[in-house]
Amino acid sequence: MSEILRPIAFDKLIKWMLTEYQNDGAVFGVRKDKFYKRSGNGHVRLFGTELSSPVGAAAGPNTQLAQNILTAYLSGLKVIELKTVQIMDGEALRKCIERPCIDAEKEGYNCEWSTELTVEQAFDEYVKGWFLVHAAANEFELSDKRDFLFNMSVGYDFEGITSPKIDSYIENLKDAANTEIFKSCKQYLTEHIADFQHLTLEDIDGIGADVSTSITLSTLHGCPPEEIEKIAGYFIDEKELHTYVKLNPTLLGFDQTRSTLDKMGYTDVDFDTTHFEQDLKYADAVPMIERLMKRAKKQDVAFGVKITNTFPVKSNGRLPSEYMYMSGKALYPLSIQVAAMLAEEFKGDLPISYSGGADAFNIADIFKTGIKPITVATTILKPGGYARADQLSRACETIKDQAKVDFRDLKTLAEEAVNNPHYAFDDTVKANKKSDQLLPLTDCYMAPCRETGCPINQQIPVYLAYAESGDYERAFEVIVNDNVLPSITGEICNHNCQTKCNRVDYEGPLNIRAIKKETAEKAQDAYIASLSASALKTDRKVCVIGAGPAGMACAAYLRRNGVKAVVFEKESVPMGVVGHVVPDFRIDKHVIERDMRLAHAYGVELELDTPVEIDIETLKKTYEYIVIATGAHGAGFNPLKEGKENAVDALTFLKAYKRGKGSIKTGARVGVIGGGDVAMDCARAAKRTGADVSIIYRRTKAFMPAEPEELKLALEDGVQIKELLSPVKYDGKTLTVEVMQLGAFGADGRRTVSGTGEMKELPVDYLINATGSAVDQTPYEKNGIKLDKKQNPVLSGGFETNLENVYVAGDCRKGPETIVRAMADGKVIAKDILKKLNLPHDFIDFKAVTDLKIAADRKGILKEPVLSAEDGMRCLSCGQVCELCVDVCPNRANKAVKTANGNMQIVHIDGMCNECGSCAVFCPYDGGPYKDKLTLFWEREDFFNSTNQGFLMEKDGSFLIRTGEDIFPCVLGDARLSDDRWEIIKSVLADYDYLF
């Protein structure tokens, strides 16, 4: 692993482009059917050039290397803001960047800034990119004339910008005709014209030397206004360049910035007044802009502002630097407000270039206001990568270009941005999407929704595909293969699968639960009608104590596989807390009954109103196997220091509420202690008694463990959330609470909470404690079942106790859990029992049904979610094709290669990687492709500076190999290297030799 970027020679880039196109119909991973070619004749005019799109790639990782520039252009980004250069460059700058340096998982953060190449190398890359784009436009017939624009970006102070090194860079981009790289690129194309089908000598002769005649000034935070004006004036007067100045969201002021982010849920974005005090102030910016506009008009060049530059926030461990720069959706409401302020100030006469959270949901609206160009970075650093660009440019095609900015429309857009759910903090996904499985060297495709998100490993992509096509019967067969409570889980499953869905990194997870619900409603009754109980395959019987989700699931799995299972339930209704605790407004009785009919159809025997004393010795006289699934019904921890007895336990309240059909008397004011789903149920139930209801929580909403949608429903019902209050005592009428405060950010990037000592009194007529429930350990102790330090039963991998053939499942295993987790326990136990009985199980691995081309077509495209089976059209079929690491790498350093057996494997190309870490952020495994995938090295220096498993091909065709700590030279086929690794190397040699 070496962070040094190795620029690719122009002839190698051309070979790569033409060979990959011929062999795979793609260029640097962009498929030819995704090459952007404008529909219709409308164009956008900027700096005297007609562009086929106003959309471009912002100065950053996507414009640092020649191949990045080509990839951006092909995918639809026609304005190339070249990555910033400054006087400090190359190794000196590279050593200043702490890595990993990019995290675009949610909002978008980075701690890198200008190019890591030397200024001379950067110039060469940009000229190579210039020729590559010209050649590709003609060869792939994307445009019959130049339809793109290169824009310089330089920084950071006057002294550096006027140095000979930067001055030469600027002058040579203005006119590159006499530079060696320009002449060599042009000569190579001319001499190899026979390699092309559509590029002509006339096309090559028409490639101008004016690589860039426009410039954007990037200044460090804290740069004085007079310095900014001095540099911009220099560009206008001395260099006669179209000039834009990057401005920061700090122009809004601290209070407006903080309140905007807080309103949108970004309370954990940590910053103070430092940069607001140091940066350019709005009062200074306006007259400076006025003066620069006059100077530009006098020189007959354009002047405008680029909104915005960067917004520095404290890293707090998210990236290895002290500060990081925020981008993406959290920056959008700030950036668009700055743009609106300036547009109104100058009545639309100030040209505005825009970058800051632009994506497929807002780009058309931004362009309609007259802002241009609009450049992006964060959205194409997310899964889908460059494939997102086509949608962005298509969205702007039908919008007429306009000369001025419509400041009224822009003001409206800015006001709407603060309330736009697409750009609010995403609290729908709180779980880490990473699996605890280590990233394998090969065969790493995984559907996280199934593998890490679903405790019963439902084959989600398969049933989504069937449901989306309208084949609900087949979809239901796939669901019920693993899930014997399909209707209940379609209604109230906590759907952890959705927190793992890779569409989270697009516009939001698939509505998996809703699709399951729809499928069950349309197909479950017919499925039940077709069932007949399986013949018993053994005379051994299983006793299940408790008819909750764990017990019923275990019994259903066993009975459908030919094992008699009898379930005993002390209550008059089955299904545990689902049946007699969860309120009817969350789940209707008929939903539970439908799943009970399924269990009966399998042949499960259920004895209601039948309490069973858990006496293992007695039970074993009748039953070979015993499954304890009695739940957790005891009162949980009560945080009150005084008056605990005056609070009602949550389960007690909900049982009474359900039995009384909501007629329970609570008084006028109800308080609920807690922040989980049960607390939400209690609050919503209490609200239906006519009371004013408040949830009292010691932290803020952002920390609540409740499912976000349950919190949302509670708020919609009128429940109040009283944050940062910790209960102290309750006398039956008054609840005394301590006011809490958010503290410093911890190592996990989240804020701590501590008491202030300030006490408040809240009038509360009825107090519900919803902080969990407890397990009764008495049956374990009486029967000699071993317990651990937490007083949970000690179990085997199959959930068997120290007593042979005695199992524990569900909430009584280690405390309250989810319905699907309880079902998973039942599945594990059923499999263990079947194995002991030497009986096969009927769990089938269904074959994936989504066409790979269809899956690939969905990559990158943002699409509004819908609450129906149609939402399956957003499924990316991750279990068949993943390649997230390929998508998100701006440098194209991760390459999917097809091996002899037809499988796609990932090869990491060391010389194209600067260890930004983006691929590690999005990889669903524990690990990072840039560290853990088989690596192809170009240089011996890089090979020995790395610890990656990989290979270096020597000049004589032999190899230098690293496997773990072992390094050895070898020839092709050496037995010291495993066959799967040789298969990859052989495939690279045979079909991807341009990677060398």
Side-chain angles (χ1 to χ4, degrees):
M1 188 170 65
S2 168
E3 82 280 5
I4 301 173
L5 291 171
R6 303 291 185 184
I8 305 171
F10 186 69
D11 61 329
K12 300 291 186 184
L13 287 166
I14 291 293
K15 178 185 177 183
W16 187 323
M17 178 178 81
L18 296 179
T19 306
E20 186 181 6
Y21 185 81
Q22 181 179 359
N23 294 350
D24 301 329
V27 174
F28 286 104
V30 179
R31 291 165 31 205
K32 64 181 181 182
D33 59 340
K34 289 288 188 177
F35 290 178
Y36 175 79
K37 184 176 182 179
R38 186 181 179 98
S39 303
N41 298 319
H43 285 76
V44 179
R45 194 164 186 82
L46 187 64
F47 307 149
T49 301
E50 285 194 344
L51 309 175
S52 60
S53 169
V55 186
N62 298 96
T63 62
Q64 181 163 228
L65 300 172
Q67 68 264 24
N68 305 17
I69 292 169
L70 173 62
T71 308
Y73 171 80
L74 291 174
S75 60
L77 303 174
K78 305 303 184 183
V79 180
I80 306 298
E81 293 180 347
L82 304 172
K83 191 164 186 181
T84 307
V85 300
Q86 60 160 314
I87 193 166
M88 183 173 70
D89 60 355
E91 184 178 4
L93 185 138
R94 192 169 64 246
K95 288 181 176 178
C96 293
I97 299 174
E98 298 178 86
R99 304 167 201 274
C101 54
I102 296 176
D103 181 351
E105 183 181 17
K106 291 185 178 177
E107 295 81 52
Y109 297 99
N110 75 85
C111 59
E112 53 95 56
W113 56 102
S114 49
T115 180
E116 296 172 43
L117 304 175
T118 65
V119 171
E120 293 79 8
Q121 286 177 320
F123 175 78
D124 286 356
E125 286 301 289
Y126 302 156
V127 174
K128 287 188 289 184
W130 176 257
F131 276 94
L132 281 173
V133 171
H134 274 285
N138 287 282
E139 178 65 9
F140 305 132
E141 301 180 291
L142 302 179
S143 179
D144 57 5
K145 61 181 179 180
R146 179 159 75 91
D147 65 336
F148 60 92
L149 177 77
F150 279 24
N151 175 255
M152 294 182 245
S153 177
V154 298
Y156 290 99
D157 58 21
F158 187 79
E159 183 180 358
I161 288 169
T162 56
S163 66
K165 180 162 60 174
I166 304 300
D167 183 71
S168 175
Y169 168 85
I170 293 171
E171 288 298 323
N172 286 334
L173 280 180
K174 286 169 61 181
D175 183 357
N178 294 320
T179 63
E180 288 302 315
I181 188 65
F182 187 91
K183 289 187 284 189
S184 65
C185 289
K186 191 166 187 176
Q187 181 179 352
Y188 181 84
L189 290 180
T190 302
E191 291 176 353
H192 293 81
I193 193 66
D195 295 341
F196 297 88
Q197 292 185 12
H198 301 291
L199 181 70
T200 67
L201 289 173
E202 184 181 1
D203 295 329
I204 298 169
D205 288 338
I207 298 175
D210 54 339
V211 178
S212 180
T213 59
S214 63
I215 197 162
T216 300
L217 168 62
S218 181
T219 56
L220 287 172
H221 291 277
C223 186
E226 57 270 19
E227 178 89 348
I228 297 172
E229 187 168 359
K230 183 179 180 181
I231 299 169
Y234 169 74
F235 290 153
I236 293 167
D237 296 332
E238 301 296 325
K239 296 301 179 183
E240 297 181 333
L241 290 166
H242 303 295
T243 302
Y244 277 53
V245 174
K246 290 184 182 179
L247 298 177
N248 301 320
T250 48
L251 285 174
L252 292 176
F254 177 83
D255 291 341
Q256 186 171 343
T257 303
R258 183 73 269 174
S259 64
T260 297
L261 290 175
D262 286 349
K263 182 176 181 180
M264 300 190 73
Y266 296 102
T267 55
D268 283 351
V269 175
D270 186 17
F271 56 92
D272 55 27
T273 60
T274 301
H275 291 94
F276 294 87
E277 293 165 354
Q278 295 175 349
D279 281 2
L280 178 69
K281 309 296 189 297
Y282 188 80
D284 296 323
V286 171
M288 180 189 76
I289 292 169
E290 289 174 341
R291 291 190 294 269
L292 289 171
M293 288 177 74
K294 290 177 181 177
R295 292 173 74 167
K297 186 175 182 181
K298 185 177 179 180
Q299 290 294 337
D300 195 27
V301 294
F303 174 79
V305 294
K306 173 68 182 288
I307 307 295
T308 58
N309 191 358
T310 55
F311 182 47
V313 300
K314 294 178 183 178
S315 183
N316 295 317
R318 184 157 189 168
L319 288 174
S321 57
E322 180 183 0
Y323 284 95
M324 57 186 181
Y325 301 105
M326 187 181 76
S327 62
K329 66 177 188 175
L331 189 57
Y332 173 63
L334 305 181
S335 297
I336 207 70
Q337 284 186 71
V338 174
M341 284 167 54
L342 289 170
E344 185 171 19
E345 186 77 47
F346 289 91
K347 303 304 178 190
D349 290 329
L350 174 66
I352 297 176
S353 170
Y354 185 88
S355 185
D359 65 18
F361 291 125
N362 63 19
I363 200 161
D365 290 329
I366 296 171
F367 184 45
K368 280 178 188 175
T369 68
I371 286 176
K372 64 181 179 184
I374 305 164
T375 57
V376 296
T378 302
T379 192
I380 56 174
L381 288 171
K382 290 176 177 288
Y386 291 100
R388 291 175 179 265
D390 180 84
Q391 184 182 21
L392 297 173
S393 283
R394 298 280 173 216
C396 297
E397 281 187 344
T398 59
I399 300 169
K400 186 178 179 181
D401 186 21
Q402 57 189 55
K404 292 182 61 172
V405 175
D406 188 326
F407 63 90
R408 295 179 182 84
D409 283 354
L410 185 53
K411 183 178 180 180
T412 300
L413 188 61
E415 291 168 350
E416 292 173 348
V418 182
N419 299 306
N420 191 323
H422 285 302
Y423 307 102
F425 177 75
D426 183 7
D427 61 357
T428 62
V429 179
K430 295 183 179 180
N432 185 343
K433 290 192 284 138
K434 285 278 190 183
S435 164
D436 57 5
Q437 299 177 50
L438 294 178
L439 175 61
L441 196 68
T442 60
D443 300 325
C444 59
Y445 295 122
M446 175 176 74
C449 58
R450 176 189 181 185
E451 301 297 336
T452 64
C454 182
I456 54 175
N457 298 121
Q458 288 180 101
Q459 296 165 68
I460 295 167
V462 181
Y463 81 67
L464 292 182
Y466 280 124
E468 184 262 316
S469 70
D471 191 348
Y472 292 100
E473 291 74 17
R474 188 64 173 155
F476 188 79
E477 288 176 17
V478 178
I479 292 170
V480 82
N481 176 75
D482 303 294
N483 184 347
V484 289
L485 303 176
S487 287
I488 290 171
T489 52
E491 195 75 47
I492 59 172
C493 180
N494 74 318
H495 56 58
N496 189 49
C497 53
Q498 294 183 198
T499 73
K500 304 292 185 181
C501 175
N502 281 326
R503 287 299 298 211
V504 167
D505 301 314
Y506 281 61
E507 64 293 285
L510 271 79
N511 287 301
I512 298 170
R513 188 177 69 186
I515 296 173
K516 184 193 303 172
K517 176 182 178 180
E518 183 178 348
T519 301
E521 288 173 344
K522 293 189 175 183
Q524 187 166 344
D525 287 340
Y527 180 85
I528 292 170
S530 70
L531 283 179
S532 56
S534 301
L536 294 175
K537 299 176 183 178
T538 176
D539 59 358
R540 309 294 177 87
K541 295 185 293 184
V542 179
C543 169
V544 179
I545 305 169
M552 290 303 300
C554 184
Y557 291 131
L558 287 166
R559 185 61 191 86
R560 78 184 197 187
N561 281 283
V563 179
K564 184 172 183 177
V566 183
V567 183
F568 296 95
E569 171 57 54
K570 67 179 182 180
E571 301 283 351
S572 58
V573 293
M575 213 54 75
V577 295
V578 178
H580 54 85
V581 173
V582 178
D584 290 341
F585 57 78
R586 278 197 66 201
I587 186 166
D588 195 271
K589 182 180 177 182
H590 83 272
V591 174
I592 302 171
E593 290 173 344
R594 188 190 294 143
D595 282 348
M596 291 308 303
R597 290 199 302 275
L598 176 63
H600 289 309
Y602 282 138
V604 172
E605 298 179 28
L606 175 62
E607 301 291 339
L608 296 173
D609 294 312
T610 309
V612 172
E613 181 181 352
I614 302 178
D615 181 338
I616 301 302
E617 189 174 336
T618 301
L619 290 169
K620 278 197 171 183
K621 293 176 182 178
T622 306
Y623 299 97
E624 182 77 14
Y625 302 94
I626 297 159
V627 179
I628 301 171
T630 50
H633 300 282
F637 167 75
N638 190 323
L640 289 167
K641 295 175 182 176
E642 296 180 33
K644 294 178 188 285
E645 68 282 0
N646 296 321
V648 179
D649 178 66
L651 294 187
T652 300
F653 168 74
L654 288 173
K655 286 178 184 178
Y657 176 86
K658 192 156 187 173
R659 279 197 305 269
K661 300 188 185 302
S663 62
I664 189 170
K665 302 299 181 184
T666 61
R669 294 162 299 194
V670 174
V672 180
I673 302 171
D677 287 347
V678 173
M680 301 304 138
D681 282 350
C682 290
R684 296 180 67 201
K687 190 68 183 172
R688 283 161 172 76
T689 69
D692 288 331
V693 182
S694 298
I695 290 176
I696 294 95
Y697 190 58
R698 66 186 296 268
R699 305 187 82 175
T700 62
K701 283 188 290 186
F703 292 91
M704 281 186 167
E707 286 297 307
E709 63 191 280
E710 298 303 327
L711 172 59
K712 180 173 179 285
L713 289 169
L715 293 171
E716 289 174 353
D717 281 351
V719 173
Q720 297 179 56
I721 308 294
K722 295 187 175 178
E723 303 172 294
L724 295 171
L725 298 176
S726 181
V728 176
K729 63 180 180 180
Y730 178 57
D731 62 7
K733 286 294 180 183
T734 302
L735 175 66
T736 302
V737 296
E738 181 181 9
V739 177
M740 309 298 282
Q741 63 184 354
L742 291 176
F745 284 76
D748 62 354
R750 299 185 72 82
R751 299 178 75 173
T752 57
V753 63
S754 60
T756 64
E758 179 189 351
M759 298 294 174
K760 282 187 176 182
E761 292 185 346
L762 306 177
V764 174
D765 300 311
Y766 192 94
L767 184 64
I768 303 168
N769 180 43
T771 54
S773 56
V775 178
D776 179 9
Q777 277 91 17
T778 305
Y780 303 142
E781 295 165 351
K782 284 177 59 178
N783 289 278
I785 293 174
K786 288 183 180 178
L787 302 177
D788 62 19
K789 292 180 181 179
K790 295 182 178 180
Q791 296 301 294
N792 295 321
V794 176
L795 304 175
S796 70
F799 298 154
E800 186 178 14
T801 68
N802 59 294
L803 304 182
E804 186 180 11
N805 296 341
V806 176
Y807 297 82
V808 177
D811 289 356
C812 62
R813 180 164 68 86
K814 58 177 183 179
E817 258 292 358
T818 62
I819 295 168
V820 72
R821 178 64 65 185
M823 199 183 341
D825 287 5
K827 187 176 181 181
V828 169
I829 292 170
K831 280 187 172 182
D832 199 69
I833 292 173
L834 289 167
K835 184 178 180 181
K836 286 186 175 186
L837 292 171
N838 292 317
L839 293 175
H841 63 69
D842 63 352
F843 297 110
I844 303 166
D845 269 335
F846 289 89
K847 185 178 179 181
V849 294
T850 302
D851 181 90
L852 289 181
K853 185 180 182 305
I854 292 174
D857 286 343
R858 293 171 179 171
K859 272 185 172 288
I861 305 301
L862 298 186
K863 187 179 176 66
E864 290 281 6
V866 292
L867 279 171
S868 71
E870 183 186 337
D871 208 43
M873 294 177 68
R874 295 194 296 130
C875 181
L876 297 169
S877 305
C878 305
Q880 293 175 261
V881 54
C882 176
E883 299 177 13
L884 293 176
C885 60
V886 178
D887 293 351
V888 302
C889 179
N891 302 335
R892 322 315 285 152
N894 298 315
K895 173 72 176 175
V897 302
K898 182 181 285 188
T899 55
N901 61 11
N903 291 339
M904 301 299 290
Q905 303 292 355
I906 301 298
V907 173
H908 178 67
I909 307 164
D910 179 80
M912 297 166 69
C913 177
N914 64 341
E915 299 180 16
C916 74
S918 188
C919 60
V921 169
F922 292 104
C923 178
Y925 287 93
D926 180 8
Y930 77 107
K931 298 180 294 184
D932 302 319
K933 281 298 181 181
L934 192 67
T935 299
L936 185 162
F937 292 93
W938 291 340
E939 303 282 345
R940 289 179 69 88
E941 175 190 356
D942 297 339
F943 181 89
F944 286 106
N945 282 339
S946 176
T947 57
N948 285 19
Q949 297 187 62
F951 59 101
L952 170 75
M953 189 165 76
E954 304 277 34
K955 291 180 180 179
D956 63 359
S958 64
F959 293 91
L960 196 58
I961 300 290
R962 179 187 290 105
T963 59
E965 296 180 358
D966 296 327
I967 296 176
F968 55 89
C970 67
V971 295
L972 197 65
D974 190 305
R976 287 175 291 176
L977 193 64
S978 61
D979 289 344
D980 59 343
R981 299 176 200 205
W982 275 129
E983 281 301 312
I984 295 174
I985 295 172
K986 288 176 183 176
S987 297
V988 172
L989 285 167
D991 302 318
Y992 305 91
D993 64 322
Y994 52 82
L995 296 181
F996 291 102

